[in-house]
Structure formats: C-alpha cells, structure tokens
Amino acid sequence: MTLLMGVLAIASYAQARLDVHAGMSLANITNLDANLKVGYTVGLGVDYPIDELWAFQTGVNITSKGCKDKMDGTSMKVNPVYLDIPFLAALKMDICDGNKFVINAGPYLGIGLGGKITSEMDGIETSAKLFSEVGSNDESIMNRCALGLQYGVGLELADTYLVNLTGQYGFTNMIRKSFAGENNKNLAFLLTVGFRF
C-alpha cells in the first residue's frame, strides 16, 4: 500500500500521467539448464515528462517469473511472483500524428510476494513454497529481494494506447546458495499492452 501511495503521489503532479497495462511474461533462471516459462504481468505505471524527448517512468508491476523443465518422466516448475518497481529513463521519438517510438532503461527493484516450486514424477506431485522457511537450515528457497536492469522498446499510439516489449536481467541471486551452488539470476521478457489516462 505504501508503494502504491508513492506512485499515486508522483502521479498527482499536473504533468504526470497514469497508465494500466497487462500482458504475458517469458521467464527463465540462468544456470539451471531449464526452459522458458510463460506467465503474466499486470501493473500501474506513471509517466512524468521532463522535456519533449525525455521522460521518467516508474510504477508497480506484479509479474510471474521462474522456469520449467521436463526430463526422464519428471517435470518441474518454479513459479515465483514478484512485485517489481522500475525506475526508467525514457527517450521518446515522434513518428507521425502523435505516435511515438519509445526506448527506456533503468534499474528495477523486485519484492517476492509468493509462489511455489512444483515437481511431478510417476503421477505424484510435490510442492514447496519459495519464500517460506524449509529444510534443516530454516531458509527459504528463494531470496525475497531482487535488483536488476530493465530495458525496453515500445509504441505510444495517439498518446493513449501503449505497446511495449520489455527485458529484465537480474543482478542478484534468485536462489539461495544452500539450495543451488551457482548464481541463478532472473531473465525475463514481457509483452504488454496498456491504456494511458
């Protein structure tokens, strides 16, 4: 609620505009030798113009990430859900008649909200929560806090409709080293459509 109030406070400035957006995510975790997992992303954004070319963009997004794998009759799915807060510099270039091509980039902060790891073998399914304490060491499987780089391209159509292709690369280790020895970082691509008020 505090984060949402902060976003709305930024949007209260006369020049700032709010948008809502939703779409699909394609996510993976590096060094796990797994496959991309299809998920979802929904969010609320704020666009604050600095001048005719540049803008500052932020917001709150709820995104499912993780990965999946299937081998030798065993399937596994890692499905964490994060609240992401991006802090982006956006370059906007006019195409024609109020339509703009947008390039943005900047850091993002992620906060793990929940999710499970699920495995199935011989018809028997087992699961464990990703952000709750498990095992003899009383640690969660995944780190709740994440930091990374977000970048993307998009279109602003008639200054109202939004289409965006976004990439994320995590800097922090998603899985605690007691559960996975290597650095396992977030890798995600998001395709969203939105409406700006």
Side-chain angles (χ1 to χ4, degrees):
M1 287 301 295
T2 302
L3 295 172
L4 182 59
M5 293 302 293
V7 168
L8 293 176
I10 293 173
S12 67
Y13 290 99
Q15 291 180 302
R17 296 181 65 187
L18 282 173
D19 67 78
V20 291
H21 49 265
M24 64 179 292
S25 65
L26 290 170
N28 207 340
I29 300 176
T30 62
N31 293 323
L32 283 190
D33 193 26
N35 299 315
L36 288 171
K37 183 182 72 67
V38 178
Y40 63 87
T41 180
V42 294
L44 174 69
V46 177
D47 183 276
Y48 186 82
I50 298 170
D51 58 28
E52 292 183 0
L53 280 178
W54 292 95
F56 171 71
Q57 296 177 334
T58 186
V60 288
N61 304 300
I62 296 175
T63 304
S64 65
K65 300 181 182 180
C67 62
K68 65 178 183 178
D69 197 16
K70 187 173 184 178
M71 184 170 52
D72 298 331
T74 302
S75 62
M76 179 269 296
K77 184 181 289 186
V78 181
N79 190 36
V81 177
Y82 278 86
L83 175 71
D84 290 335
I85 308 165
F87 303 93
L88 308 174
L91 174 63
K92 301 186 178 186
M93 295 168 281
D94 285 320
I95 302 173
C96 62
D97 299 328
N99 300 320
K100 295 181 180 180
F101 178 72
V102 182
I103 302 172
N104 58 28
Y108 76 88
L109 173 67
I111 302 168
L113 299 179
K116 297 189 298 183
I117 179 172
T118 305
S119 62
E120 183 177 344
M121 183 172 62
D122 298 329
I124 300 173
E125 183 176 295
T126 58
S127 65
K129 293 183 179 179
L130 293 170
F131 300 109
S132 299
E133 295 177 352
V134 296
S136 59
N137 52 6
D138 292 330
E139 285 187 332
S140 61
I141 297 171
M142 299 189 77
N143 290 307
R144 191 174 292 274
C145 294
L147 181 67
L149 174 67
Q150 181 167 313
Y151 47 90
V153 294
L155 294 172
E156 295 183 357
L157 305 175
D159 203 30
T160 302
Y161 304 101
L162 311 174
V163 180
N164 289 289
L165 176 62
T166 301
Q168 287 185 338
Y169 182 78
F171 296 151
T172 53
N173 193 10
M174 290 185 77
I175 302 176
R176 293 187 185 275
K177 289 192 174 181
S178 54
F179 291 94
E182 299 181 272
N183 286 326
N184 300 279
K185 298 176 180 178
N186 170 56
L187 180 64
F189 297 97
L190 317 173
L191 179 62
T192 60
V193 294
F195 181 85
R196 180 167 288 152
F197 299 97

